[in-house]
């Protein structure tokens, strides 16, 4: 598209529109631009710049998505807090049941309730946090040694977590723990693959 | 994992909780492993078994304590950032004191006061070290002193030495 600015002065917008209407030989590329007049003093057509997509600047050598190490802290914190919440609710239930059965009142009941909440809450939080530490450690090590981050890492990390968690409880229990880890991580990867196929977006490996 | 920067304030609570849990779990695991190794009966197999048993028993509990401290600290810190609209070392120091007080609240008022003082002093030392390292690192980027030129008025009016009105030695200094 060639814009002849000398024949169409900038100040007279109406005449420019009229002349554009009187020239039917313009190609279809004009429909992609806006029809506002362009100053003849510019040495480039600024309408090209508006079609660019937003671009992001990455540091040299950096990945374009977060790795497992960045997400490990969020995962462990989330697990500890969820475990504390679940354990706390179970502690409230157990505390109410025990104090009602023993017919305790007043300060003794309050102390027993607090003891049940804190013991069961911290216990469940510690268990879930430990499991997530094992999972994140296995995932980060696999990413470091394999050099890739994909669903295979997730499945292997889940299985290794189950094996390690029950590693001192006998071979049968150890194998059972590994099977549970394999099952949970496989289900999670299937869920991610289903999401990936439905939305056709890039996968977010955890 | 090129660089790790802290999240903005609501998500920082979860991240600090996770980071504190890892510190307590791994660090506590190391110390409890050594204690279990030393406290076990003789024999390498028995000592390793004692070490593993101690790690399994104590490491999650220490991690949980660190996580509780980190979570409460970040909650108080984010609250102070929200109300004061500032981020400075005083937020951390006050957060440490308040966290120590809150986590000792079932042991009585005297224990709360003692733990609050300990938390405040600990965070004061941490922030002091941080400020010291910041000053030390900033020293590397300080501009050097400007080079003071000799008095240039001496050359004016004296046309005997050189054609440009400067003495020879001073001209050499100016070109360097």
């Amino acid at each position: 598209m060639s814009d002849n600015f000398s024949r169409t002065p900038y100040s007279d917008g109406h005449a420019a529109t009229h002349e554009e209407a009187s020239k039917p030989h313009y190609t279809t590329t004009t429909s992609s631009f806006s029809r506002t007049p362009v100053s003849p003093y510019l040495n480039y057509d600024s309408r090209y710049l508006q079609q660019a997509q937003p671009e992001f600047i990455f540091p040299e050598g950096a990945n374009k998505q977060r790795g497992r190490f960045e997400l490990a802290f969020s995962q462990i914190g989330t697990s500890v807090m969820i475990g504390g919440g679940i354990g706390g609710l179970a502690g409230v239930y157990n505390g109410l049941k025990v104090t009602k059965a023993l017919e305790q009142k007043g300060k003794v009941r309050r102390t027993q309730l607090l003891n049940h909440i804190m013991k069961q809450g911290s216990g469940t939080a510690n268990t879930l946090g430990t499991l997530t530490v094992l999972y994140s450690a296995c995932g980060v090590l696999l990413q470091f040694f394999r050099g890739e981050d994909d669903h295979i890492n997730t499945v292997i990390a889940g299985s290794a977590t189950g094996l390690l968690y029950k590693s001192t409880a006998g071979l049968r229990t150890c194998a059972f723990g590994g099977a549970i880890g394999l099952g949970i991580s496989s289900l999670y990867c299937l869920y991610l693959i289903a999401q990936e196929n439905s939305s056709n977006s890039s996968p977010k490996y955890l | 994992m090129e660089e790790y920067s802290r999240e903005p304030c609501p998500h920082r609570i979860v991240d600090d909780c996770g980071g504190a849990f890892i510190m307590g779990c791994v660090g506590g695991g190391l110390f409890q492993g050594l204690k279990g190794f030393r406290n076990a009966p003789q024999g390498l197999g028995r000592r390793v078994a004692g070490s593993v048993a101690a790690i399994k028993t104590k490491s999650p509990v220490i991690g949980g304590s660190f996580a509780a401290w980190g979570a409460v600290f970040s909650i108080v810190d984010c609250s102070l950032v929200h109300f004061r609209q500032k981020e400075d070392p005083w937020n951390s120091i006050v957060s440490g004191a308040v966290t120590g007080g809150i986590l000792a609240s079932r042991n009585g008022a005297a224990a709360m006061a003692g733990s609050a003082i300990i938390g405040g002093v600990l965070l004061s030392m941490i922030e002091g070290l941080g400020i010291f390292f910041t000053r030390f690192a900033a020293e590397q980027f300080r501009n050097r002193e400007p080079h003071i030129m000799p008095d240039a008025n001496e050359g004016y009016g004296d046309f005997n030495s050189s054609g440009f009105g400067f003495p020879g030695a001073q001209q050499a200094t100016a070109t360097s």
Side-chain angles (χ1 to χ4, degrees):
Chain A
M1 175 180 177
S2 62
D3 288 331
N4 196 350
F5 298 108
S6 62
R7 293 190 299 166
T8 60
Y10 178 74
S11 60
D12 198 352
H14 182 70
T17 307
H18 179 70
E19 289 186 7
E20 282 179 355
S22 65
K23 297 177 181 178
H25 67 276
Y26 276 153
T27 60
T28 58
T29 57
T30 56
S31 63
S32 62
F33 296 117
S34 62
R35 294 188 171 274
T36 56
V38 174
S39 171
Y41 296 102
L42 291 176
N43 59 355
Y44 64 94
D45 195 346
S46 62
R47 291 174 292 186
Y48 284 103
L49 298 181
Q50 298 174 0
Q51 294 189 338
Q53 298 296 321
E55 297 178 354
F56 301 100
I57 299 173
F58 291 101
E60 186 174 356
N63 296 320
K64 296 193 173 181
Q65 67 178 16
R66 307 184 75 186
R68 284 179 183 265
F69 185 73
E70 283 93 8
L71 290 172
F73 290 169
S74 300
Q75 287 175 349
I76 294 165
T78 306
S79 296
V80 169
M81 288 184 169
I82 289 177
I86 293 173
L89 290 179
V92 168
Y93 175 74
N94 281 330
L96 288 176
K97 192 169 67 174
V98 167
T99 52
K100 184 183 294 293
L102 292 177
E103 295 181 356
Q104 294 171 344
K105 296 285 168 44
K107 289 187 177 181
V108 173
R109 182 163 187 255
R110 185 181 68 197
T111 303
Q112 284 290 88
L113 271 174
L114 277 177
N115 285 337
H116 272 90
I117 292 168
M118 293 184 71
K119 291 297 180 182
Q120 194 149 358
S122 64
T124 311
N126 294 346
T127 303
L128 283 183
T130 306
L131 282 171
T132 316
V133 166
L134 290 176
Y135 172 76
S136 299
C138 294
V140 169
L141 286 179
L142 278 168
Q143 181 184 356
F144 180 74
F145 284 114
R146 288 187 67 228
E148 291 179 359
D149 195 8
D150 50 6
H151 292 305
I152 297 175
N153 278 359
T154 303
V155 173
I156 295 177
S159 308
T161 300
L163 287 171
L164 274 175
Y165 189 67
K166 292 293 183 182
S167 59
T168 57
L171 283 180
R172 288 173 57 92
T173 313
C174 182
F176 187 64
I180 289 181
L182 177 64
I184 293 175
S185 53
S186 299
L187 287 178
Y188 182 64
C189 285
L190 287 178
Y191 169 73
L192 284 184
I193 290 172
Q195 264 200 343
E196 172 185 352
N197 290 330
S198 65
S199 64
N200 283 327
S201 64
S202 65
K204 306 181 184 65
Y205 299 111
L206 289 179
Chain B
M1 51 197 292
E2 287 81 16
E3 60 182 17
Y4 182 79
S5 60
R6 295 183 78 189
E7 297 272 345
C9 228
H11 307 282
R12 186 189 294 179
I13 299 170
V14 177
D15 272 10
D16 280 358
C17 185
F21 191 90
I22 286 187
M23 271 195 287
C25 217
V26 176
L30 289 179
F31 278 96
Q32 294 301 318
L34 290 182
K35 269 178 73 175
F37 191 86
R38 291 180 67 251
N39 203 26
Q42 271 192 348
L44 191 62
R46 291 197 200 91
R47 287 184 181 273
V48 170
S51 180
V52 169
I55 290 175
K56 284 177 60 186
T57 307
K58 295 290 179 56
S59 181
V61 178
I62 299 171
S65 301
F66 273 65
W69 223 93
V72 176
F73 179 86
S74 286
I75 289 171
V76 179
D77 191 35
C78 290
S79 303
L80 285 175
V81 166
H82 177 73
F83 288 121
R84 295 181 69 218
Q85 296 290 316
K86 281 182 189 176
E87 290 216 25
D88 57 358
W90 287 112
N91 281 347
S92 297
I93 294 167
V94 172
S95 300
V98 171
T99 303
I102 285 175
L103 290 181
S105 59
R106 295 194 71 197
N107 300 323
M112 282 179 76
S115 293
I117 290 171
I118 290 172
V121 169
L122 184 69
L123 264 298
S124 298
M125 289 192 290
I126 292 173
E127 290 297 327
L129 276 179
I131 291 172
F132 175 75
F133 282 132
T134 303
R135 294 276 182 87
F136 182 75
E139 189 71 25
Q140 313 292 324
F141 299 98
R142 183 184 296 270
N143 288 322
R144 62 185 65 180
E145 290 290 328
H147 187 73
I148 300 176
M149 300 291 293
D151 195 356
N153 289 323
E154 298 174 357
Y156 290 117
D158 189 2
F159 295 100
N160 296 324
S161 60
S162 64
F164 299 103
F166 285 105
Q170 190 156 359
Q171 184 175 5
T173 306
T175 54
S176 67

